[in-house]
Amino acid sequence: MHAPLDFAAQSEVFRRFQAANPVPVGELNYRDAFTLLVAVVLSAQATDVGVNKATHGLFQRAATPEAMLALGEAGVVEEIRTIGLFRQKAKSVIALSQILVDRYQGRVPDSRAALQSLPGVGRKTANVVLNIAFGHPAQAVDTHVFRVANRTRIAPGRDVLTVERAIEDHVPVSFQRHAHHWLILHGRYICTARKPRCPGCPIADICPFEEKTA
């Protein structure tokens, strides 16, 4: 495993990311912590565009845990059947809504452990909610973040937890709040999996990736 970029390089990488996009935002549509939580649960193995199409109607009908329970599993299925695994996801949305009502007075809890106790919510989903809804510098490591973190050596690691910890350990604190957003967007639009767009990359001169595209 290669060593991560040193402090000076990390600082310059994220300074450039920040200069290009000072306040990056996620691409899922949501209104508050609850609708964000539902959207992220629905996004597993689905595109953000597809989820946004499905939640447009869903959130018009049910934008609170109480309203979601009133809509019922069949109603959720009706709205989200265009995305993958829609039946299981509908079960999770109804189950987590019930728990939010029963245990948390209908509010989304702001702890990772509490979030991960909800159906359909893993560590990545919990981190997204903590970061976006509550402003916590949690690092949600998806396939884009994992690839970019290793390819650029910003935060190398053999698994997602190692990469998450490496981001926390090596990225300067002043950039932690938006770090995973910058890495996601970089991986989605520039540092792509099959043919990274190295000529247009803002950190190409810092990145140690040996197989740069011309």
Side-chain angles (χ1 to χ4, degrees), residues 1 29 33 36 38 60 86 95 103 144 157 165 174 189 199:
M1 181 63 62
N29 294 334
L36 173 65
V38 171
Q60 286 185 331
F86 65 90
R103 299 182 190 173
H144 296 299
R165 177 58 61 84
S174 59
Y189 298 110

Side-chain angles (χ1 to χ4, degrees), residues 135-155:
H136 181 68
Q139 307 301 329
V141 180
D142 67 358
T143 56
H144 296 299
V145 174
F146 187 81
R147 178 178 66 257
V148 172
N150 277 285
R151 185 182 278 170
T152 63
R153 299 189 202 168
I154 288 170

Side-chain angles (χ1 to χ4, degrees), residues 12 16 53-54 57 61-62 69 82 84 90 94-95 108 115 117 131 153 158 169 174 186 194 207-208 210-211:
E12 181 60 18
R16 294 182 192 182
K53 288 181 180 178
R61 298 178 68 185
L69 292 174
T82 55
I94 291 298
V108 175
L115 286 167
S117 73
N131 184 280
R153 299 189 202 168
R158 299 185 186 280
D169 287 349
S174 59
H186 191 64
R194 295 187 179 181
C207 175
E210 295 179 356
E211 301 173 27

Side-chain angles (χ1 to χ4, degrees), residues 20-90:
N21 189 357
V23 184
V25 295
E27 296 183 330
L28 288 172
N29 294 334
Y30 67 97
R31 304 178 185 182
D32 53 20
F34 174 69
T35 52
L36 173 65
L37 173 63
V38 171
V40 180
V41 167
L42 296 180
S43 72
Q45 299 182 49
T47 66
D48 288 355
V49 171
V51 172
N52 287 340
K53 288 181 180 178
T55 57
H56 178 73
L58 177 65
F59 293 157
Q60 286 185 331
R61 298 178 68 185
T64 67
E66 295 83 358
M68 200 67 74
L69 292 174
L71 180 60
E73 187 177 323
V76 176
V77 166
E78 180 183 343
E79 294 294 340
I80 69 168
R81 63 171 58 253
T82 55
I83 62 176
L85 306 174
F86 65 90
R87 293 191 186 281
Q88 182 56 50
K89 290 176 180 178

Side-chain angles (χ1 to χ4, degrees), residues 4-13 170-173:
L5 298 178
D6 64 22
F7 178 78
Q10 298 272 6
S11 298
E12 181 60 18
V13 163
H170 297 287
V171 174
V173 168

